[in-house]
Amino acid sequence: MYQWRKFEFFEEKFAGKCSVPDDVDGDISCCSSGRGKIIVGCENGTVSLLDRGLKFNYGFQAHSSSVLFLQQLKQRNFLVTVGEDEQISPQLSSMCLKVFDLNKMQAEGTSTSTPECVQILRIFTNQYPEAKITSFLVLEEAPPILLIAIGLDNGCIYGIKGDIARERIKRFKLVVASHIDKSQSSITGMGFRVDGQATQLFAVTPTSVSLFNLQTEPYSRNTLDQIGCNTAVAMTDRSQELMIGRDEAVYFYEVDGRGPCWAFEGEKKFLGWFRGYLLCVIADHRSGKNTFNVYDLKNRLIAHSLVTKEVSQMLCEWGNIILIMADKSALCIGEKDMESKLDMLFKKNLYTVAINLVQSQQADAAATAEVLRKYGDHLYSKQEYDEAMAQYINTIGHLEPSYVIQKFLDAQRIHNLTNYLEKLHEKGLASKDHTTLLLNCYTKLKDVEKLNVFIKREDGVGEHKFDVETAIRVCRAANYHEHAMYVAKKAGRHEWYLKILLEDLGSYEEALQYISSLDPSQAGVTIKEYGKILIEHKPDDTIEILMRLCTEDGELAKRGSSSGLYTSMLPSPVDFLNIFIHHPESLMNFLEQYTNKVKDSPAQVEIHNTLLELYLSNDLNFPLLSQVNIDEHTSSTSERPSVSVVISRPKANGKLSADQKDLNREMDHRERLQKGLRLLKTAWPSDLEHPLYDVDLAIILCEMNEFKEGLLYLYEKMKLFKEVMACYMQAHDHEGLIACCKRLGDSGKGGDPSLWADVLKYFGELGEDCSKEVKEVLTYIERDDILPPIIVLQTLSRNPCLTLSVIKDYIARKLEQESKLIEDDRRAIDKYQEETLAMRKEIQDLRTNARIFQLSKCTACTFTLDLPAVHFMCMHSFHLRCLGDNEKECPECAPEYRSVLEMKRSLEQNSKDQDQFFNKVKNSKDGFSVIAEYFGKGIISKTRIGGNGTLGAGNTSSGSGF
């Protein structure tokens, strides 16, 4: 043990000027500490309480004779003393136990006060005979229960358990040894050990070490050793081990027997335990002085050593160690802070000691890392790089990695740097830059084996302990494509795997096979990202994969679960249009295959729009390809067949002639136009109101690409007949214009006859000779009586190239027709005038002259007319009985009269329906005739100003108007 290094980790407090106050006037017999105070018991029976710095607080007379033992409780501010009082009678022992409540003071005289003594117990009774007390110990169980052990010189221990203050106690006796020689059987020390609910008691005699189990009665005894000690006995705090000091060593005991021993020679007067340190006062009989040592058993060093006078008491309080000497002088020794201790060690370059110190004292990880860093710096300065790196590795997680990396970059110690970076990755603390640096180290060293281990190792959780993207990027840059692909595939980074295959290795077939092996969602994502490259080099295979993704050819369809719901969940071809940006022929091929297979796609409108744009475009090139050389385009697309008919292309010196190219391009364009027209028709079935494409977009495409057939079809389908006519007019296609008008202007087939008026107006404003066409148009205008002759004359008069001979025959026929109509109207007028005069004459006759009824038979029953009879002005006569209840109107004439009244009522009702009137005027060839008819029927016979100020029209029997 003399080889242990000595350090000054402790220092004296209060500048070494500390002593027991003079107020403590007796010889000190015992001491205790706790609750921030030191309590001193004297042989004159007084007890003194000392504050921090051993300042006297107060004292009181606890016993009349002497105080042998005392203990300050921790949980309650109670003081338990054992002392000798005056003997009351010969039968009662003078030795008693007292319990003082230090929180309750009672006056004693005029100027002093003492704590209240809550209980006095006689230690010795008839059952427990008197003996010399050699040791004393109190254990606080759950308050207010106390467990008191009193060791005697006869080898026995008297126990008292219970609520001492209320004297609810139980006494018991433990026999440790029964030697005749009391010096060999006296109890020299005790220690309580609490393990959960179990309470155990160590008992030490000069010849034995025993352990009592106090959990259940009878209390069992276990002898741990056949050798004990005379004085120095103590307990450790956390592990609750018993320590005994003999001349040759200090021994530790656990519940199962002797533990480790430490060979510190010399007579041990006091043992103690302070913050993991062993305190030991060793007596030197030759010099008469004592040596106080503080041992750090974990680190095997002496933390403090001091030669002192004779020590009478040793205590620990206020975070310090207090030694009270026999002459009442005292030493207060405190531990230095960790920083001071480490500075002391650093100055001596004792880094290993410093590391052990911080680890043993459970310093925080940051403090330990700082010590390791300094040790590493020290080794680095001595160029011991391997040893320095070993220390730096232990700082991972606390020391900034760049601190270490910079040092070993400067020193060009790439192997050490690689080791550090590997450990950094193992602990999962590496950043992207660290991964980059480590992989660069591997590649620079060309250490493929380590690279394989780093890349391909398997860890417990199945995840890489490095940044995957960084590893892939570095391996790619160093041309370690196999390693980069391994990492990408294992980490599920499909985009990186394909990027290497396509951009670095050019393995297009392998890339397509890899995409095919992915689940549909992942395959769709990768196709969107790398489809442009795949379409350029492997268009057919790429389109095949797209068809599997977008149709029911996948795994779900193979199981026979085709459904509309599943179709709606599939990717849409529209999602992949961007990959065909430079390859419109492949796009057309893909969309045609899709539309041939899927008839009810949710995106069919967008698909048809795209196909129309491809079909109708002039050169099937997007703007970005307008300057691309034809030969290059041909070579890049030679592998993929177009949807169009493949035309053999003769070559001259490896190149197509310009004429042949133009011919092929023209034939391809015509075929695409036919496909476009077919799509326009098939995507607009007759049973649908709207087409399966954007009709506005289709019209724009047809106009932009001058696709007349498609434009005419759309206009006709949308019943925009005037726009159809405008197309022929713009093209000056007179023959087609008239043929279209024959088809669309036939009212019998739902056409619009007014189109002929537009055609006539067109020829009237044409400004060239079109006599033949005008004559044909006039034939249909005359047939359907579309325009009045005056309008025809006004329209055609604007064309200076037309002569009167063009319309001569038409005018003659119209004049003859008009003359006949005038003659018919005159005859009808004469007839109506005669009938009107006759009616007026009859009315006048009825009003002024008497009627003679000469009928002799009843009009109803044809029997002879007899009274009572009824005669009507219409010259019909009836028996009154034949008329029944209706004798106010003639049964014969009433139906005809009612029909006239109903017609009049209907006319009056129609006069209120203004919309019907105006619709008739608008839709009639001759609106004036409609107005005349309304006036003729008396519906609009008079005008009047309505009550609300509006102009109204009506007759005498109707208040309605227009």
Side-chain angles (χ1 to χ4, degrees):
M1 293 302 146
Y2 293 107
Q3 298 176 358
W4 284 19
R5 292 183 175 180
K6 292 184 179 182
F7 298 95
E8 294 301 323
F9 291 163
F10 287 77
E11 59 184 354
E12 294 187 21
K13 303 292 183 180
F14 310 112
K17 299 177 181 180
C18 187
S19 62
V20 178
D22 295 335
D23 299 287
V24 182
D25 52 1
D27 293 334
I28 299 174
S29 58
C30 55
C31 287
S32 180
S33 63
R35 301 180 70 91
K37 296 183 181 299
I38 289 180
I39 304 174
V40 179
C42 299
E43 293 182 356
N44 58 6
T46 60
V47 172
S48 300
L49 280 73
L50 307 180
D51 293 332
R52 181 182 291 271
L54 299 182
K55 295 180 180 179
F56 183 79
N57 189 334
Y58 68 90
F60 64 93
Q61 190 72 35
H63 296 270
S64 59
S65 179
S66 63
V67 180
L68 300 179
F69 300 94
L70 56 81
Q71 184 170 336
Q72 167 72 49
L73 302 186
K74 307 293 184 183
Q75 299 181 27
R76 294 183 294 170
N77 196 15
F78 279 15
L79 176 66
V80 182
T81 64
V82 173
E84 188 175 359
D85 286 328
E86 295 180 356
Q87 191 170 6
I88 301 175
S89 64
Q91 291 80 16
L92 295 178
S93 172
S94 62
M95 200 64 64
C96 63
L97 180 145
K98 293 184 178 181
V99 179
F100 294 93
D101 187 349
L102 301 182
N103 290 330
K104 298 179 180 179
M105 305 297 290
Q106 60 184 8
E108 184 177 299
T110 57
S111 60
T112 60
S113 58
T114 61
E116 180 181 351
C117 181
V118 297
Q119 188 57 257
I120 301 175
L121 289 179
R122 296 294 175 178
I123 297 176
F124 303 113
T125 62
N126 294 332
Q127 295 180 353
Y128 299 91
E130 185 174 359
K132 181 181 178 181
I133 300 175
T134 56
S135 60
F136 173 76
L137 193 60
V138 180
L139 173 67
E140 294 181 83
E141 294 188 349
I145 305 301
L146 298 179
L147 177 57
I148 300 175
I150 302 172
L152 305 175
D153 64 348
N154 59 4
C156 295
I157 298 175
Y158 291 168
I160 302 174
K161 184 177 181 180
D163 186 355
I164 307 296
R166 299 182 181 179
E167 205 170 351
R168 297 176 181 175
I169 60 174
K170 179 184 72 172
R171 295 176 182 261
F172 60 90
K173 178 181 178 181
L174 303 175
V175 178
V176 180
S178 57
H179 289 282
I180 299 175
D181 186 1
K182 290 186 177 182
S183 63
Q184 299 299 315
S185 62
S186 63
I187 306 299
T188 56
M190 296 180 295
F192 281 111
R193 185 179 188 276
V194 178
D195 185 9
Q197 298 296 325
T199 303
Q200 297 168 315
L201 176 65
F202 287 102
V204 181
T205 68
T207 58
S208 67
V209 178
S210 304
L211 178 67
F212 289 92
N213 189 353
L214 305 182
Q215 187 175 6
T216 57
E217 297 184 16
Y219 303 137
S220 60
R221 173 175 174 262
N222 181 24
T223 302
L224 303 180
D225 201 350
Q226 296 296 332
I227 303 175
C229 72
N230 292 321
T231 55
V233 178
M235 292 287 294
T236 61
D237 48 8
R238 294 185 179 179
S239 59
Q240 300 189 68
E241 295 176 299
L242 176 72
M243 302 181 296
I244 64 174
R246 300 181 190 149
D247 292 347
E248 71 279 7
V250 175
Y251 297 88
F252 285 75
Y253 290 88
E254 299 178 358
V255 292
D256 52 352
R258 182 193 293 179
C261 69
W262 303 89
F264 305 133
E265 295 183 354
E267 182 185 353
K268 316 302 186 295
K269 292 191 62 177
F270 295 96
L271 285 181
W273 192 261
F274 176 76
R275 295 180 180 176
Y277 293 103
L278 172 62
L279 309 181
C280 187
V281 177
I282 302 175
D284 186 353
H285 296 290
R286 290 175 297 178
S287 62
K289 293 186 177 181
N290 297 158
T291 302
F292 171 67
N293 290 333
V294 180
Y295 297 100
D296 185 347
L297 302 181
K298 290 183 179 179
N299 299 314
R300 297 177 179 269
L301 57 86
I302 300 175
H304 187 69
S305 181
L306 178 67
V307 177
T308 67
K309 303 175 185 177
E310 183 180 357
V311 179
S312 65
Q313 303 291 334
M314 183 175 69
L315 309 98
C316 297
E317 188 64 28
W318 312 308
N320 298 323
I321 305 168
I322 295 95
L323 300 178
I324 300 178
M325 311 302 172
D327 60 358
K328 292 189 178 181
S329 62
L331 287 176
C332 188
I333 302 171
E335 186 178 10
K336 295 180 180 179
D337 57 75
M338 180 62 71
E339 184 177 357
S340 300
K341 291 189 286 186
L342 293 177
D343 288 341
M344 183 189 308
L345 295 173
F346 293 154
K347 290 177 181 179
K348 298 179 181 181
N349 291 331
L350 298 175
Y351 292 97
T352 55
V353 178
I355 293 170
N356 294 333
L357 181 65
V358 294
Q359 291 176 347
S360 64
Q361 296 198 358
Q362 298 180 351
D364 59 349
T368 304
E370 179 63 17
V371 176
L372 293 169
R373 181 194 66 79
K374 290 187 176 182
Y375 188 27
D377 292 346
H378 173 70
L379 294 172
Y380 184 88
S381 64
K382 295 170 62 177
Q383 297 185 354
E384 297 178 6
Y385 299 115
D386 294 340
E387 293 78 3
M389 180 53 72
Q391 303 306 318
Y392 288 135
I393 288 174
N394 293 327
T395 66
I396 291 177
H398 303 283
L399 181 62
E400 179 61 34
S402 59
Y403 178 86
V404 180
I405 293 171
Q406 186 63 40
K407 281 180 172 293
F408 286 85
L409 281 177
D410 295 342
Q412 296 297 311
R413 300 288 297 180
I414 192 169
H415 292 86
N416 297 119
L417 180 59
T418 303
N419 186 23
Y420 180 79
L421 293 171
E422 286 174 347
K423 298 297 182 181
L424 205 60
H425 282 80
E426 287 179 4
K427 295 186 178 181
L429 300 174
S431 66
K432 297 180 180 180
D433 295 333
H434 299 148
T435 302
T436 303
L437 185 57
L438 178 58
L439 292 174
N440 284 330
C441 290
Y442 287 148
T443 56
K444 190 171 182 179
L445 293 171
K446 300 187 182 302
D447 194 341
V448 180
E449 183 178 353
K450 277 196 172 183
L451 183 60
N452 288 335
V453 172
F454 180 76
I455 293 295
K456 300 181 179 181
R457 66 183 172 186
E458 299 287 341
D459 54 18
V461 293
E463 296 181 356
H464 291 289
K465 290 186 176 181
F466 53 82
D467 184 74
V468 172
E469 187 171 341
T470 301
I472 296 172
R473 180 170 47 79
V474 175
C475 289
R476 280 188 70 197
N479 292 326
Y480 286 90
H481 298 119
E482 180 185 352
H483 296 82
M485 290 171 60
Y486 177 86
V487 174
K489 189 172 185 179
K490 183 180 178 183
R493 302 297 292 271
H494 311 299
E495 68 280 4
W496 279 102
Y497 190 88
L498 291 171
K499 187 187 288 287
I500 298 169
L501 282 176
L502 297 174
E503 298 179 4
D504 298 337
L505 304 178
S507 301
Y508 306 108
E509 293 184 0
E510 185 178 352
L512 288 169
Q513 293 175 1
Y514 183 77
I515 292 174
S516 301
S517 67
L518 299 176
D519 61 86
S521 61
Q522 290 291 338
V525 173
T526 54
I527 283 288
K528 289 179 184 178
E529 188 167 357
Y530 301 103
K532 293 180 182 179
I533 302 176
L534 295 172
I535 284 292
E536 182 178 356
H537 295 87
K538 295 290 182 181
D540 295 339
D541 297 334
T542 306
I543 290 175
E544 183 181 352
I545 292 177
L546 288 174
M547 286 296 296
R548 287 202 301 269
L549 287 176
C550 298
T551 62
E552 296 182 337
D553 288 346
E555 181 181 353
L556 188 59
K558 293 178 182 177
R559 295 199 295 263
S561 58
S562 175
S563 65
L565 177 61
Y566 175 67
T567 303
S568 64
M569 296 170 59
L570 293 171
S572 170
V574 180
D575 300 335
F576 305 100
L577 294 183
N578 65 310
I579 70 175
F580 295 94
I581 188 67
H582 298 306
H583 304 279
E585 289 185 4
S586 298
L587 174 60
M588 187 168 63
N589 184 12
F590 168 53
L591 294 180
E592 284 178 343
Q593 291 185 37
Y594 181 81
T595 53
N596 291 336
K597 189 163 189 176
V598 180
K599 303 298 183 182
D600 56 350
S601 171
Q604 57 185 343
V605 173
E606 293 82 355
I607 295 172
H608 290 159
N609 290 341
T610 306
L611 277 174
L612 283 175
E613 188 171 359
L614 292 169
Y615 288 152
L616 303 183
S617 61
N618 291 325
D619 54 2
L620 199 61
N621 280 339
F622 294 121
L624 295 177
L625 296 179
S626 59
Q627 298 180 356
V628 177
N629 186 274
I630 294 294
D631 297 330
E632 296 176 359
H633 179 70
T634 303
S635 63
S636 66
T637 59
S638 60
E639 297 181 3
R640 56 181 183 275
S642 172
V643 180
S644 309
V645 178
V646 178
I647 301 175
S648 61
R649 302 182 179 182
K651 298 182 179 180
N653 297 327
K655 295 185 178 180
L656 292 174
S657 65
D659 295 338
Q660 186 65 39
K661 290 178 184 178
D662 294 340
L663 178 61
N664 292 340
R665 189 183 301 111
E666 182 62 27
M667 294 181 65
D668 181 68
H669 184 216
R670 285 201 299 269
E671 185 175 353
R672 285 189 285 106
L673 291 179
Q674 292 302 318
K675 289 183 178 181
L677 182 59
R678 194 180 310 121
L679 178 59
L680 288 175
K681 294 179 179 180
T682 56
W684 197 340
S686 57
D687 57 338
L688 292 181
E689 181 181 357
H690 300 288
L692 299 177
Y693 50 81
D694 188 342
V695 68
D696 295 330
L697 176 64
I699 292 175
I700 293 173
L701 291 173
C702 291
E703 289 182 346
M704 288 175 57
N705 297 282
E706 300 178 354
F707 184 40
K708 180 180 176 181
E709 291 84 351
L711 198 60
L712 291 176
Y713 172 77
L714 291 173
Y715 284 154
E716 287 189 30
K717 194 71 176 177
M718 298 170 68
K719 299 189 182 302
L720 300 175
F721 300 143
K722 294 187 181 296
E723 282 75 5
V724 176
M725 307 301 293
C727 290
Y728 287 103
M729 293 175 185
Q730 291 175 1
H732 293 278
D733 185 1
H734 298 167
E735 184 178 353
L737 177 62
I738 294 175
C740 178
C741 199
K742 289 179 183 179
R743 187 176 72 255
L744 302 179
D746 189 352
S747 60
K749 297 181 181 179
D752 184 6
S754 65
L755 296 177
W756 290 106
D758 295 333
V759 175
L760 186 66
K761 182 179 178 183
Y762 165 73
F763 286 124
E765 297 175 349
L766 186 60
E768 61 183 50
D769 187 10
C770 50
S771 302
K772 180 182 177 181
E773 290 83 357
V774 170
K775 287 181 180 180
E776 186 173 1
V777 171
L778 288 177
T779 302
Y780 291 98
I781 292 177
E782 182 181 3
R783 185 191 71 178
D784 295 334
D785 194 15
I786 297 173
L787 291 175
I790 186 65
I791 300 298
V792 174
L793 287 172
Q794 291 176 350
T795 302
L796 296 178
S797 64
R798 300 170 185 166
N799 191 342
C801 298
L802 294 176
T803 61
L804 188 59
S805 60
V806 176
I807 61 172
K808 179 180 178 180
D809 295 338
Y810 167 75
I811 293 298
R813 289 192 299 271
K814 292 300 292 185
L815 289 175
E816 183 180 358
Q817 183 180 358
E818 291 293 334
S819 298
K820 291 181 180 180
L821 291 176
I822 292 172
E823 186 63 30
D824 293 341
D825 289 342
R826 284 178 178 174
R827 285 196 295 269
I829 291 171
D830 293 340
K831 178 183 177 183
Y832 290 150
Q833 286 178 348
E834 290 176 0
E835 291 178 354
T836 302
L837 289 175
M839 290 180 184
R840 287 177 179 174
K841 183 177 180 181
E842 183 180 359
I843 293 171
Q844 183 65 25
D845 185 43
L846 289 173
R847 287 178 177 176
T848 57
N849 299 325
R851 284 277 180 152
I852 298 174
F853 301 98
Q854 296 179 349
L855 289 177
S856 60
K857 292 184 179 181
C858 176
T859 304
C861 63
T862 69
F863 289 107
T864 303
L865 192 64
D866 56 3
L867 297 176
V870 179
H871 305 278
F872 292 95
M873 299 299 288
C874 60
M875 303 308 293
H876 293 134
S877 300
F878 300 90
H879 293 115
L880 181 61
R881 63 178 177 273
C882 291
L883 291 176
D885 296 335
N886 189 6
E887 57 182 40
K888 293 185 178 183
E889 59 181 11
C890 175
E892 292 292 326
C893 300
E896 182 180 357
Y897 180 68
R898 286 197 195 98
S899 64
V900 173
L901 288 178
E902 187 65 31
M903 185 182 301
K904 182 180 179 182
R905 200 177 297 115
S906 175
L907 291 173
E908 291 176 353
Q909 185 67 28
N910 290 338
S911 67
K912 300 177 181 179
D913 190 354
Q914 301 179 22
D915 293 337
Q916 182 181 4
F917 170 73
F918 288 113
N919 285 333
K920 285 185 177 181
V921 173
K922 181 178 179 181
N923 297 326
S924 175
K925 297 178 181 178
D926 187 3
F928 181 78
S929 63
V930 177
I931 298 174
E933 180 185 359
Y934 268 67
F935 273 101
K937 291 180 180 180
I939 299 176
I940 310 177
S941 60
K942 291 184 180 181
T943 59
R944 62 181 178 83
I945 304 299
N948 56 359
T950 60
L951 181 63
N955 57 20
T956 57
S957 62
S958 176
S960 63
F962 291 89

